[in-house]
Amino acid sequence: MATLSGEKCELRGTPEQSPSSVFVDDRELICGGLAVGRAARLLLPETGTDSGEQSLKRAFGAAKGELLLNAQLNCEPERYLPRDGKFVLALPCRSSTDGWPILLLAQISGGTLNIVQGPASAYPALLETLGQPYETNRTLLAAEVRALWSAPIVIGSEVDQALIRELWSDARLANSRFAYAEAEQALRRALDVQIRIFGEDDVVTNALFLDMAMVVANLGRFDESDGLLRRAAPIIERSPSPAERARLATYRANISALRGDYIAARSEASDAVAQWRAITEARPVTDDTALARGEMAMALNLEAFVLMRSGDTTSANVLASQALLALAAAPATPVWWRADIMGVLGETSLSDGRLAAAETYFKTAIRIRKDAFGEGAGTLRLRTALARAYQAEDMNTNAIIAYREALSLARGLPRDSIPFTGEDLMPLAAAVVNYSAGITDEKQRQGLFTEVFDAFQFARKPGRDRTVALTAMRLSSGSVELSALLRRAEDDNREMARIQSELAQQQALAADDRNPEAEDALIAQITSQASRIEASRAEIATRFPEYQALKEGKLPRLDDVRSRLDDNEALVTFLLGREKSFVQLIRRDGTIVAEVSAGADDIAASVKSLRRGLEIEGSSVADFDLETAHQLFSQLLGPVVPKLSGVKRLIIVPSGALASLPFGLLVTEPVDNKTYSSAAWLSRQFAITHSPSIASFIALRSTRLVGKPRQLLLAAANPLLAPPPSKGPIGSKATQAGFAGLLSSCRKDAAASPETLRMLTSLPETASEVAAVAAALKAPDAEIMLAENATEANLRSKSLSDYRILYFATHGVLPGELKCESEPGLVLTPPATIAETRSTDGLLDASEIAALELRADLVVLSACNTASDGSGKLGGETLSGLAEAFFYAGARSLLVSHWQVPSAATARLMIDVFKAVGADPDLSIDKALVQAQLKAIANPASAHPFFWAAFVLIGDGASPPLNERAAT
């Protein structure tokens, strides 16, 4: 016996049957080494030995109930086929779990009803088991079996079916463990096989896309998730299975809740509950009913969660209790679903002030998840909820102990799998601050503040800031071989991310816009790239185990930070919550944590208000709100001001909207009718450096370049673009019109149009700017590329790793400013005609920058908005795309701007910065920047922060770029 795919089949005996079974001689059908079906016989009474259609119908009806009891099949009407003088009953079905076509055949022979069941691909083996002759031509057999279904089916091998099911199950299990990256990879592999067999318009294929939408939403990639929903929804809504449609409604609600859109989530969850309830109440009872009860329970729990987040904890508790009852009626569901409902009941009980009940729910949920998965992200989330319950009842000691246990466990897990949010960890900071208020022993207080250090780090998602740490290690390695290996590994990972992103975009397109050939090519590239990455990882681990241990190291300890701070330095980081926040200030001799009397939304509103005062209104700059700047300072840093005595340098690790704020424009004293020139700007007191994370700060302070670049300065400025306007206001209309022109042009993967780039105005002031910078640095041999020489081809011809300072005085293009371009870039002189490749087209984008080989102490991006990500949103990543790309390429520090500054004002500020550095080789860039800013503030014409506050230093502010010892 064999399948249509050529897999060998055989019948094997099954375990002992139940005495109540109506069947005898019940055996398994094994194909390709997998159990794919069954064969059974039912002894008929003497009156039922006729093999005609009616006798067959009666006999099969008697056996059908037991046969399909746990089969989870959606079946079409029975068919009766005359074959070889006898009738054969055919029951074409589909698996309710994955849509795979399943066939039941039955025939009366010798007083026995013989029944066989298996996948459509096993049709020859099913016929042979019944003793039916069949056509040996597989093509004709395949056509014969397909004709049994009313809609087209696809016949695949049992190995493929098993692989899809295994991968899908693995993905859902990983998602339940909060291992979202692992789940994504399993789903992509399942989709690869599924699409190859069933195509892209199959219901199950789109059910997989639906699961993928959920996973990427959990990873925060909502645009991609929305695209997958748009792609899958029309096909799933046409599915004959009401369960598929109900599941679509549930997933929509889940994704809305993840996004924080609780209004939409509540409506969608309610719709999902109604659909699942209709399935459970439908008659007759189908195979989907038991599963539907469990999924209805989870939809009820989701609706309860949304109500709880919306403040209606009483209704939430009622729904969660209903969910628990519904789940009890669905015993075949995953055990951890009960833990999820218990978690919501714990939260609602806590909100209603019932601590004992909350504690019981949380502890039960922890036990269930621990039994199912061991300690992991799920139990950590519940342990923090239990700790929050203790803190809410002012049981600060219990809260600190519970958090201590959770954070200790978290340190042993991969960062990507840790589900903490700032809100989860907020009560730990509150408990520590409250408890420490009653302690006079400073050593004991410091011990308490140390407890919070991990919380501030766990609340931050690992992202672009890894680039700084890994690149610092690569550049500081003394081994040329290791450095090359690390660069190759980083490039491979970056390329994998690019391919996966491109595949995700393809898969999210509407049916008419998709390119199956492109998707197949991308899937093949992912497979190949995965092999390359694994080979590089294995080689590094084998040849350089010390580095591998460093790379895989866990979060830094508080002592790691303090030991890298000078006596006159302080590092500041924030934990932002809904109602309030916390600030942590770390110095070499101690640390302090204090409450900030504003939540993330209030802080974002203040930042937005300040940013409005940095915009151009007509021909002048808007008024800057000094009062708000002082209020925000008082909220953020006011609680730790007493600990700032003696501090000269602040290292800011911003979070959320604070990533969009140059801290130097905060005002430290009440305004009292002060002018911009006399205001107490934070820049008057401190040199300020921004760091993407504590880990990147430690990496930069712990490493130094091996060797030093031979040359001091390479600068590119004043590319040949459109003639500058003869006269214009701040932020001239000509420049704005140039950027508007870019919006109508599309670069995509092709070279940029030179005509498009030449829509931007020239920047003649930048030529004198870079000349003055070179003179200030006493660098007569500086490489300065101007006008027709400021081309991308010329830049690439230089040995860029030989320069300690790279200086780009040109336009920055953000995503969206050039149609179809998703990356930021720097504009250089475009070629006379369109370039053959992107590498010489005059637009140096982030991907191209990342591929450069740099060893620069400092990169200056004297251009527009180079600290922005172009999204128009506050907060998010600490590094913009351009900044990240330069760090990846090998820069140690960057001087970038938060908004568009007129080129003349930029030139004055930058010249003053480098005059200060040139006069004192031991002067760091952050201190030189402060000196230049104070000079601008002293001049009433440039005292408005619009002119001087845009530029910030990211990286290691303490490193003087002209100090020979600092570069070795």
Side-chain angles (χ1 to χ4, degrees), residues 175-214:
N175 193 62
S176 297
R177 292 187 287 108
F178 304 101
Y180 303 125
E182 180 183 332
E184 180 181 5
Q185 294 307 311
L187 283 173
R188 291 204 183 283
R189 291 180 60 200
L191 277 165
D192 181 17
V193 182
Q194 176 75 19
I195 291 172
R196 173 167 52 82
I197 297 172
F198 287 93
E200 297 186 351
D201 295 330
D202 181 78
V203 170
V204 177
T205 300
N206 285 275
L208 278 165
F209 279 128
L210 199 60
D211 272 29
M212 180 70 82
M214 190 70 214

Side-chain angles (χ1 to χ4, degrees), residues 265 294 352 386 396 413 424 476 537 551 592 598 617 646 672 696 711 762 787 812 851 879 889 915 918:
D352 291 341
L386 178 61
N396 293 316
L413 296 175
D424 290 329
S476 63
R537 184 181 294 117
K551 181 185 175 191
I592 185 174
E617 293 183 351
D672 295 335
S696 61
Q711 294 177 268
S762 295
L879 293 181
K915 278 184 177 179

Side-chain angles (χ1 to χ4, degrees), residues 229-548:
L229 277 178
R230 286 193 300 271
R231 173 176 180 167
I235 293 173
I236 291 176
E237 285 168 347
R238 295 196 301 269
S239 168
S241 168
E244 292 290 352
R245 298 192 296 275
R247 195 168 293 117
L248 171 63
T250 305
Y251 278 31
R252 278 174 166 156
N254 265 298
I255 291 169
S256 293
L258 285 170
R259 188 186 279 110
D261 185 355
Y262 296 126
I263 295 176
R266 181 176 180 180
S267 173
E268 291 160 346
S270 178
D271 177 43
V273 170
Q275 291 190 47
W276 286 118
R277 196 181 300 280
I279 296 171
T280 64
E281 294 174 352
R283 294 294 182 270
V285 173
T286 68
D287 299 317
D288 281 337
T289 303
L291 287 175
R293 287 195 187 100
E295 299 219 42
M296 182 184 73
M298 298 313 292
L300 278 166
N301 192 55
L302 174 60
E303 188 175 3
F305 172 82
V306 172
L307 286 169
M308 179 184 68
R309 283 284 183 259
S310 303
D312 187 356
T313 57
T314 302
S315 299
N317 188 271
V318 171
L319 286 180
S321 299
Q322 292 176 9
L324 198 60
L325 290 173
L327 194 66
T333 52
V335 294
W336 55 88
W337 284 11
R338 186 165 180 263
D340 293 345
I341 297 174
M342 289 285 188
V344 173
L345 284 168
E347 295 279 6
T348 57
S349 299
L350 177 60
S351 297
D352 291 341
R354 295 181 289 118
L355 175 62
E359 184 177 26
T360 299
Y361 284 129
F362 287 139
K363 285 185 174 180
T364 303
I366 290 168
R367 177 182 54 76
I368 294 170
R369 273 204 161 265
K370 188 175 180 181
D371 289 345
F373 300 118
E375 290 288 2
T379 54
L380 287 182
R381 179 171 286 178
L382 290 164
R383 288 186 187 280
T384 58
L386 178 61
R388 283 191 285 109
Y390 289 138
Q391 197 277 326
E393 294 296 316
D394 292 325
M395 299 171 64
N396 293 316
T397 302
N398 294 56
I400 292 170
I401 291 172
Y403 269 116
R404 183 183 296 151
E405 183 177 0
L407 294 177
S408 177
L409 292 169
R411 273 189 167 272
L413 296 175
R415 283 291 309 281
D416 290 334
S417 70
I418 296 172
F420 293 142
T421 65
E423 203 61 34
D424 290 329
L425 299 166
M426 199 70 52
L428 171 60
V432 165
V433 169
N434 292 341
Y435 191 72
S436 66
I439 296 175
T440 56
D441 185 294
E442 185 59 27
K443 186 175 181 179
Q444 190 176 356
R445 280 169 54 84
Q446 287 299 310
L448 277 173
F449 292 143
T450 301
E451 301 270 4
V452 190
F453 177 74
D454 282 352
F456 276 76
Q457 296 184 83
F458 280 130
R460 299 173 61 85
K461 298 296 183 185
R464 287 174 168 173
D465 54 331
R466 282 178 170 165
T467 299
V468 180
L470 293 178
T471 304
M473 287 187 279
R474 168 169 56 86
L475 294 176
S476 63
S477 71
S479 166
V480 174
E481 289 180 295
L482 174 58
S483 181
L485 270 175
L486 296 179
R487 179 63 192 236
R488 188 182 78 192
E490 291 171 26
D491 287 347
D492 286 344
N493 284 321
R494 196 179 187 90
E495 178 66 7
M496 174 66 95
R498 183 197 67 78
I499 299 170
Q500 288 176 334
S501 175
E502 192 171 340
L503 176 62
Q505 292 172 18
Q506 273 286 335
Q507 291 178 335
L509 293 174
D512 293 342
D513 297 327
R514 294 202 298 271
N515 184 335
E517 292 79 11
E519 287 190 27
D520 290 345
L522 289 167
I523 290 168
Q525 288 179 49
I526 286 174
T527 302
S528 173
Q529 198 67 17
S531 298
R532 285 176 56 88
I533 289 170
E534 185 55 39
S536 295
R537 184 181 294 117
E539 186 173 0
I540 292 170
T542 301
R543 296 179 59 190
F544 302 96
E546 299 85 359
Y547 171 80
Q548 191 68 13

Side-chain angles (χ1 to χ4, degrees), residues 685-721:
Q685 294 188 22
F686 308 105
I688 301 172
T689 297
H690 293 72
S691 183
S693 69
I694 289 175
S696 61
F697 164 76
I698 291 174
L700 289 171
R701 284 289 175 96
S702 304
T703 58
R704 288 291 181 265
L705 294 178
V706 176
K708 67 179 181 67
R710 296 190 299 270
Q711 294 177 268
L712 182 58
L713 174 67
L714 182 145
N718 191 26
L720 284 181
L721 303 170

Side-chain angles (χ1 to χ4, degrees), residues 61-192:
K64 184 178 179 181
E66 181 177 342
L67 189 69
L68 300 181
L69 181 62
N70 296 310
Q72 297 178 16
L73 298 177
N74 297 317
C75 299
E76 298 185 16
E78 302 157 3
R79 301 185 180 203
Y80 295 87
L81 313 174
R83 287 184 63 94
D84 195 27
K86 298 180 180 179
F87 277 94
V88 173
L89 178 149
L91 184 65
C93 305
R94 287 181 185 267
S95 167
S96 59
T97 57
D98 58 15
W100 206 266
I102 303 294
L103 179 64
L104 281 80
L105 298 178
Q107 178 185 8
I108 293 177
S109 178
T112 302
L113 175 67
N114 299 304
I115 301 175
V116 290
Q117 172 191 325
S121 61
Y123 187 51
L126 300 179
L127 290 173
E128 188 169 338
T129 301
L130 287 180
Q132 284 286 329
Y134 58 87
E135 172 64 55
T136 57
N137 184 296
R138 290 182 180 176
T139 302
L140 294 177
L141 272 175
E144 184 178 311
V145 74
R146 285 192 180 99
L148 297 176
W149 273 263
S150 60
I153 64 167
V154 178
I155 300 173
S157 79
E158 304 316 306
V159 173
D160 286 336
Q161 180 190 20
L163 179 59
I164 292 170
R165 286 176 172 170
E166 180 184 3
L167 289 169
W168 201 350
S169 175
D170 288 348
R172 286 186 167 177
L173 194 61
N175 193 62
S176 297
R177 292 187 287 108
F178 304 101
Y180 303 125
E182 180 183 332
E184 180 181 5
Q185 294 307 311
L187 283 173
R188 291 204 183 283
R189 291 180 60 200
L191 277 165
D192 181 17

